[in-house]
Amino acid sequence: MTSYLGAIGTANPPHCIAQQHIADFMARALQFGDAEARRLRALYRVSGIAQRYSVLPDYGRPDGEYTFFPNTPGLEPFPSVGQRMAVYRREALPLALAAVADCRRQVPGVGLASITHLITVSCTGMYAPGLDIELVQALGLPAAVRRTCVNFMGCYAAVNALKLADDACRADPAARVLVVSVELCTLHFQKSAEDDHLVSNALFGDGAAACLVQAGPLPDGAPSLALAAFHCGLEPDGHADMAWHINDFGFEMTLSSYVPKLIQRGIGRLTEQLLATLPVERADIHHFAIHPGGRKILETIEQALDLTPDDNRFAYRVLRDYGNMSSATVLFVLRDVLAAATPADHGAPVLSFAFGPGLTLEAMLLEIAVSTERPAAAKRHRETLLLEDAAT
């Protein structure tokens, strides 16, 4: 029994902020002098990110016009975890609903009453009764829908959600799983001049993604991805290099400069182990959906697997337009892979990776399933991608 992922809907908050405007905010918040501010702006310029989205407008506003951070030198008193979680609780559900609505537009024939499982994913906020119950109520899902929450696992968490969805569909051919990932990373800005915090402040944005997983291709001619195989690897040497801790002033990300080297060291072995029991060779794979944890991570994977930037174009585009949205990001990349697929790609394998604390390396092999009839929403997104490719 093969399960299929498709109808990937996405959503972002209303505040789209240019990367250099965020750099200006950070320089002011950290009270940097001219030399430090120049180095910080250089870091933002080479990030590969043009803009990011946030539930907080402050990152794009001038001094004295903040609505969440205090309008004081050094932003003191700096917002507490409780204040940040109050914003998460207010903003997570509307963003999740927008992603679900985008997902449903792609498969108008799928009714909410047919959803048997709901899996929610987030590492940037938690509360109970939580987002899962709020989604059940807001969407009018059956109270008996089977709910699972994947929390605090970091950027690879959506892969774990897809594993759970795949297991549900293999166990019950009638299962239809709604997966919803919501990440409000920008709530957790850390006012610190440490290198790890400077880098994480330069990368993360807010976003949500929702998708369907079921046994068999999706209805309405929607393109989908067969879930062929999963494999997880660990690089224990990176235990302290990528980490996620709850501190007094938000959730604190550790992201050291050694992470790309660890990924480069382990990615080849991970790929071999994923493909070891499959009738697929690395040379057969020409489609990739790699989590854009950062520009350097994408470049080191290209070196390790002999990929070109064009092979990685969907990851670079998502990084450029949204930044790293933690667990939701790889679903944005998979959305673009599906949107660009043509009937000629039917049956083609897709290699996907995501990374997170541990250091955890998650790998998926998927297979494109595209019919000659594509829903209007998928056609429009494909046309947008083609126009962007032509412009660049």
Side-chain angles (χ1 to χ4, degrees):
M1 178 70 67
T2 301
S3 55
Y4 288 76
L5 156 70
I8 304 173
T10 58
N12 297 93
H15 308 295
C16 178
I17 307 168
Q19 181 76 328
Q20 287 307 307
H21 291 166
I22 302 174
D24 293 340
F25 169 91
M26 295 295 176
R28 292 194 304 268
L30 295 167
Q31 299 179 297
F32 277 174
D34 290 344
E36 293 170 309
R38 280 196 298 274
R39 285 194 294 271
L40 184 71
R41 292 187 180 98
L43 170 67
Y44 278 61
R45 279 195 301 274
V46 301
S47 65
I49 300 170
Q51 62 189 30
R52 287 180 276 163
Y53 290 82
S54 177
V55 293
L56 302 175
D58 294 7
Y59 296 110
R61 290 187 169 180
D63 226 352
E65 296 184 16
Y66 304 148
T67 60
F68 177 71
F69 295 105
N71 288 286
T72 59
L75 309 182
E76 293 296 340
F78 204 46
S80 66
V81 170
Q83 290 172 297
R84 297 169 198 247
M85 289 301 93
V87 177
Y88 180 92
R89 185 164 187 173
R90 183 184 74 225
E91 301 289 347
L93 178 63
L95 195 61
L97 289 173
V100 172
D102 188 37
C103 169
R104 293 186 65 202
R105 278 191 288 270
Q106 300 170 42
V107 280
V110 175
L112 289 171
S114 70
I115 301 299
T116 60
H117 297 68
L118 172 66
I119 302 174
T120 57
V121 186
S122 188
C123 70
T124 50
M126 288 174 282
Y127 55 95
L131 179 63
D132 58 329
I133 292 176
E134 291 183 346
L135 280 169
V136 169
Q137 295 170 336
L139 295 172
L141 297 177
V145 69
R146 298 184 182 183
R147 295 179 283 114
T148 304
C149 303
V150 178
N151 295 127
F152 216 68
M153 297 189 80
C155 297
Y156 66 89
V159 179
N160 279 275
L162 294 178
K163 288 180 183 179
L164 291 169
D166 181 54
D167 287 343
C169 293
R170 290 177 183 273
D172 179 5
R176 178 171 279 160
V177 187
L178 177 62
V179 177
V180 183
S181 167
V182 182
E183 300 291 12
L184 306 185
C185 305
T186 65
L187 293 179
H188 300 293
F189 156 54
Q190 295 297 303
K191 195 183 65 174
S192 165
E194 293 182 13
D195 288 346
D196 289 354
H197 293 148
L198 293 180
V199 170
S200 60
N201 289 340
L203 291 177
F204 288 94
D206 298 348
C211 60
L212 290 176
V213 179
Q214 66 175 43
L218 271 65
D220 304 313
S224 56
L225 294 162
L227 298 174
F230 298 90
H231 189 77
C232 179
L234 286 172
E235 287 290 331
D237 289 349
H239 187 83
D241 291 282
M242 187 183 288
W244 192 228
H245 301 287
I246 300 175
N247 282 334
D248 294 337
F249 299 104
F251 297 0
E252 186 175 323
M253 166 61 76
T254 299
L255 188 63
S256 84
S257 59
Y258 192 48
V259 167
K261 293 187 178 72
L262 289 166
I263 292 174
Q264 186 178 37
R265 189 174 76 187
I267 202 73
R269 182 171 65 254
L270 184 73
T271 303
E272 290 172 4
Q273 292 168 344
L274 173 71
L275 301 179
T277 60
L278 299 172
V280 178
E281 301 290 336
R282 166 63 189 86
D284 299 328
I285 303 173
H286 305 290
H287 300 272
F288 301 89
I290 298 174
H291 167 67
R295 182 182 61 82
K296 186 64 175 176
I297 287 175
L298 294 177
E299 291 173 349
T300 55
I301 291 173
E302 289 167 9
Q303 294 167 10
L305 297 183
D306 195 25
L307 305 183
T308 68
D310 186 63
D311 292 329
N312 244 349
R313 63 191 180 280
F314 300 115
Y316 280 117
R317 179 183 288 130
V318 169
L319 182 66
R320 179 195 70 199
D321 293 344
Y322 305 99
N324 181 344
M325 299 168 287
S326 192
S327 69
T329 320
V330 73
L331 294 175
F332 275 65
V333 179
L334 288 167
R335 172 203 65 179
D336 288 358
V337 170
L338 270 183
T342 69
D345 295 315
H346 183 78
V350 179
L351 184 59
S352 181
F353 300 112
F355 319 100
L359 177 79
T360 302
L361 300 93
E362 288 280 1
M364 296 187 288
L365 189 73
L366 310 100
E367 188 176 287
I368 296 172
V370 183
S371 71
T372 55
E373 295 297 323
R374 299 168 67 89
K379 287 181 180 178
R380 286 195 297 272
H381 190 62
R382 173 172 167 74
E383 289 164 1
T384 300
L385 292 179
L386 290 173
L387 287 172
E388 288 184 357
D389 284 341
T392 55

